[in-house]
Amino acid sequence: MDGILLVDKPEGWTSHDVVAKVRSIIRAKTGLKIKVGHTGTLDPMASGLLILVIGKFTKRAGEFSKLDKVYKAEITLGAISTTGDREGSLTKKSSHQPAPAEIEPALNKFVGLISQIPPAFSAVKVDGQRAYRAARAGKSIKIEPRQVKIYEITEVKYSYPRLEFTTKVSSGTYIRSLAEDIGEELGTGAYLSTLRRTKVGDYAVERAKVIDKINLNDIIS
């Protein structure tokens, strides 16, 4: 049993939760202990497309993790978060309300190759340790910026304090960091309040199965 499985991850589940659930489904249906892995973490607060690799395809996880991705995001202006998203401790930053005419010029500054610092609460390794582990322990760490590509930011909707958009990005891009950078550009502060991954490469979430509808026939070999 080798291949990939497209799952529509619900909010509140970790990527490892999904892997464990699918592994248990396979074992219950076949009696076999099959390797299952994911191809790139999707934060617990986020929903959407998670590509799982099954059996021998676990050796090919890197191929899928390097693919470009598309997200639908909502950010909230006026406050910042310790984690960059709604799950962290929030602090009011500014009462300034940007005019609608300010939004698209600000967003356009992030289209193309940009330098981005991953969030402290992320799986990035610093001196051999996952950044989120150091952050949870209260340790101060320095995460070096990295170059990522924002191909486009479209479908923009704005009604203060909510700003929604769809963006296509390169692998390794953190939408939480993008949200924070947009908030800084607008002079208001911002955090990521909703995130849904809709595409990974040519794979779309419309082809994915929700957890309680997964069938072994859905494995693509």
Side-chain angles (χ1 to χ4, degrees), residues 67-69 147-151 168-173:
L67 297 174
D68 297 330
K69 298 166 179 71
Q147 197 170 63
V148 297
K149 187 170 186 178
I150 312 295
Y151 294 97
K168 180 181 178 181
V169 302
S170 66
S171 173
T173 303

Side-chain angles (χ1 to χ4, degrees), residues 5 25 29 209-219:
L5 179 64
I25 290 172
K29 291 181 179 291
K209 295 292 183 178
V210 295
I211 294 293
D212 59 356
K213 299 291 186 182
I214 289 174
N215 191 292
L216 299 188
N217 293 331
D218 298 319
I219 296 174

Side-chain angles (χ1 to χ4, degrees), residues 112-183:
L113 284 173
I114 65 170
S115 180
Q116 183 184 79
I117 299 176
F121 285 87
S122 68
V124 170
K125 282 191 174 182
V126 179
D127 296 328
Q129 183 181 19
R130 297 292 183 186
Y132 67 82
R133 288 178 181 156
R136 286 173 182 168
K139 297 179 182 178
S140 177
I141 56 173
K142 183 179 180 181
I143 302 178
E144 296 296 330
R146 58 175 61 182
Q147 197 170 63
V148 297
K149 187 170 186 178
I150 312 295
Y151 294 97
E152 59 182 11
I153 299 177
T154 60
E155 299 177 349
V156 179
K157 297 179 183 178
Y158 172 56
S159 179
Y160 183 87
R162 310 296 184 196
L163 173 58
E164 300 176 35
F165 55 84
T166 297
T167 183
K168 180 181 178 181
V169 302
S170 66
S171 173
T173 303
Y174 282 89
I175 308 302
R176 281 182 286 153
S177 293
L178 179 61
E180 292 178 315
D181 291 343
I182 291 170

Side-chain angles (χ1 to χ4, degrees), residues 4 39 51 53 57 60-69 200-201 203:
I4 64 172
T39 60
I51 299 180
V53 279
F57 270 61
R60 298 175 55 188
E63 296 177 25
F64 298 96
S65 65
K66 293 176 183 176
L67 297 174
D68 297 330
K69 298 166 179 71
V200 176
Y203 299 98

Side-chain angles (χ1 to χ4, degrees), residues 1-3 34-36 53-61:
M1 184 176 295
D2 309 301
I34 304 293
K35 287 185 178 180
V36 180
V53 279
I54 317 291
K56 293 179 180 178
F57 270 61
T58 53
K59 296 179 181 178
R60 298 175 55 188

